[in-house]
Amino acid sequence: MTFALLLRLATQRIWASKLRSALTMLGIVIGVSAVVTLISVGQGAQQGINDSLADLGANQISVTSTTPDGLQDQDMDNIATIQGVSRVSSEVRSNGDASFEGNDARVSLIGVSPGYEAIATPTVGSGRFLPENQAAQSSRVAVLSAIAASDLGVGFDDLGSEIRVNGVAFQVIGVLDDAEGFGGGGNVLMTQTAARSLYAKSPYVSVINIQAVDKEAVAAVESSVESYLRVSKGFVDDDDAEFIIFNQAALQDAVNTVTGTLSLFITAIAGISLVVGGIGIMNIMLVSVRERTREIGVRRAIGATQGQILTQFLLEAVLLSVLGGLIGLIIGLVSSFGLAQLGGWDFFIDPGTVALALGFSAFVGIVFGVWPARTAGKLQPVEALRFE
């Protein structure tokens, strides 16, 4: 008997018992669909996080003061001379109250120095960002984050209107498009000169933003900045340091590690259902061997070999697993696409995931189909024909 004939016989046997075959495949279908869905959702969410972090800049470093007088303008100027540093800017931060046409909100006040826009690359949804030229640094203009604009009821038509920040009038010249992603919040951005006239003391700054020439230079720049600050501030121990250095690349690596580990853990749990499905296939195939004992005896009596009997039963188990894997794959793709639409992230499917799902389902069919197939193949013709 040729392999093609054995495959046709196995297919006919599966089709002859459609309900039993469907129930047998159920565990594989659930397992594969769960694995595909979880991996796809995990990869899509991870890609979304990476995109958000990429918008912040993988070659950026921030130094945040933990005390009101921990960092100064002179520190920013000195850091700008470090090898590998492309740009620097600073921020002075505080909390305050903002109001507009009867709407009040508690907001974060951020006074930024020239060069901030080139480093942070904020996305302006409407209007424009703060002026860069020195002559306009004392102007009382403000750019609102999307959340701050929403809290205050400032719309696109209100550009040019005045809001009051801590009782002082500021003209709104722009609204950011930052409602989603990292760093969102109720923020009011203004020039650093205006901020210092309102709440901050010169020459102290809250944050120094640093842009390295490229991602590969981040580690060296971070080390040099830390060495400079420790020497200039006289800090020896980490507990004494009055600053925190943070870089986006480290955050991105940490996020990838966490999401990768979590996806692997969840997928392993979902994979248990594949094993359960394999056990179900083995159980049904053993029952099938017992029900078809006389058929096996007849085929052996007319010349079928043990290998041919074993191959047919093994093919039935593998076909059940692969067919269940294909159905589970389709369900998983549809489910992950639907979840991506609901979650607001991009639908993402790795071809390797498809290959893994189908390959593992076939592997399950082989592993759990070997025992029933060997049992069928080892039956002796005389004993099989006597079976009632």
Side-chain angles (χ1 to χ4, degrees):
M1 298 178 69
T2 64
F3 180 82
L5 178 59
L6 291 174
L7 182 61
R8 183 164 63 86
L9 290 174
T11 304
Q12 290 174 347
R13 174 56 62 176
I14 292 174
W15 185 252
S17 305
K18 291 183 285 292
L19 180 58
R20 174 187 287 187
S21 299
L23 293 175
T24 303
M25 292 186 296
L26 189 59
I28 300 295
V29 171
I30 294 173
V32 170
S33 62
V35 169
V36 171
T37 300
L38 291 172
I39 291 179
S40 178
V41 169
Q43 290 174 336
Q46 182 175 343
Q47 185 63 42
I49 293 172
N50 286 338
D51 290 343
S52 295
L53 291 175
D55 291 339
L56 296 177
N59 62 334
Q60 293 184 16
I61 304 168
S62 64
V63 183
T64 304
S65 175
T66 58
T67 62
D69 56 355
L71 296 172
Q72 301 182 27
D73 290 332
Q74 186 62 44
D75 294 321
M76 183 186 70
D77 295 337
N78 292 335
I79 288 174
T81 64
I82 292 177
Q83 184 178 2
V85 173
S86 174
R87 295 187 181 96
V88 293
S89 70
S90 62
E91 305 172 24
V92 289
R93 290 177 170 259
S94 183
N95 295 320
D97 297 307
S99 61
F100 175 72
E101 295 184 350
N103 298 316
D104 299 319
R106 188 69 175 169
V107 294
S108 296
L109 306 178
I110 307 175
V112 301
S113 67
Y116 174 86
E117 184 178 10
I119 297 178
T121 61
T123 302
V124 179
S126 61
R128 58 188 174 87
F129 198 68
L130 297 170
E132 289 283 327
N133 58 308
Q134 290 295 332
Q137 290 304 299
S138 59
S139 58
R140 288 183 174 172
V141 292
V143 174
L144 308 181
S145 68
I147 294 177
S150 176
D151 291 343
L152 292 171
V154 175
F156 293 156
D157 296 335
D158 296 316
L159 291 178
S161 301
E162 287 188 345
I163 63 171
R164 302 195 75 83
V165 180
N166 287 355
V168 179
F170 278 78
Q171 183 184 31
V172 178
I173 62 172
V175 176
L176 299 180
D177 183 16
D178 62 347
E180 298 179 353
F182 291 89
N187 301 327
V188 176
L189 287 81
M190 60 189 71
T191 66
Q192 201 165 100
T193 302
R196 281 177 167 160
S197 69
L198 187 65
Y199 62 86
K201 294 181 179 180
S202 180
Y204 303 111
V205 297
S206 306
V207 179
I208 297 176
N209 299 305
I210 307 163
Q211 186 179 68
V213 291
D214 51 42
K215 184 178 179 181
E216 286 69 29
V218 167
V221 170
E222 181 178 356
S223 178
S224 298
V225 169
E226 183 176 4
S227 298
Y228 158 73
L229 291 173
R230 285 187 179 277
V231 173
S232 64
K233 307 297 182 183
F235 300 135
V236 178
D237 298 327
D238 290 339
D239 295 337
D240 298 332
E242 297 178 350
F243 59 86
I244 298 173
I245 300 179
F246 173 81
N247 73 74
Q248 306 294 352
L251 176 60
Q252 192 166 3
D253 291 341
V255 168
N256 288 338
T257 299
V258 171
T259 54
T261 302
L262 185 60
S263 297
L264 181 62
F265 177 72
I266 296 176
T267 303
I269 295 176
I272 295 175
S273 60
L274 284 174
V275 177
V276 174
I279 295 174
I281 288 177
M282 181 175 64
N283 181 53
I284 293 300
M285 293 304 297
L286 285 172
V287 172
S288 179
V289 170
R290 185 171 179 84
E291 290 176 346
R292 295 158 61 186
T293 298
R294 288 183 63 83
E295 173 194 331
I296 295 171
V298 171
R299 291 184 56 195
R300 289 296 309 279
I302 60 176
T305 65
Q306 288 188 2
Q308 291 171 341
I309 300 296
L310 184 149
T311 301
Q312 180 183 342
F313 276 84
L314 187 59
L315 281 174
E316 290 182 23
V318 173
L319 284 174
L320 286 171
S321 293
V322 172
L323 185 58
L326 286 172
I327 297 173
L329 175 62
I330 295 171
I331 294 174
L333 291 175
V334 173
S335 299
S336 56
F337 178 78
L339 289 173
Q341 296 302 307
L342 291 175
W345 57 76
D346 293 334
F347 172 67
F348 183 84
I349 186 68
D350 186 357
T353 302
V354 176
L356 176 65
L358 295 180
F360 192 73
S361 61
F363 176 75
V364 167
I366 293 173
V367 170
F368 289 96
V370 166
W371 185 15
R374 287 191 61 191
T375 301
K378 291 170 63 176
L379 288 175
Q380 297 299 319
V382 176
E383 295 178 0
L385 288 171
R386 289 176 179 174
F387 183 79
E388 296 293 339

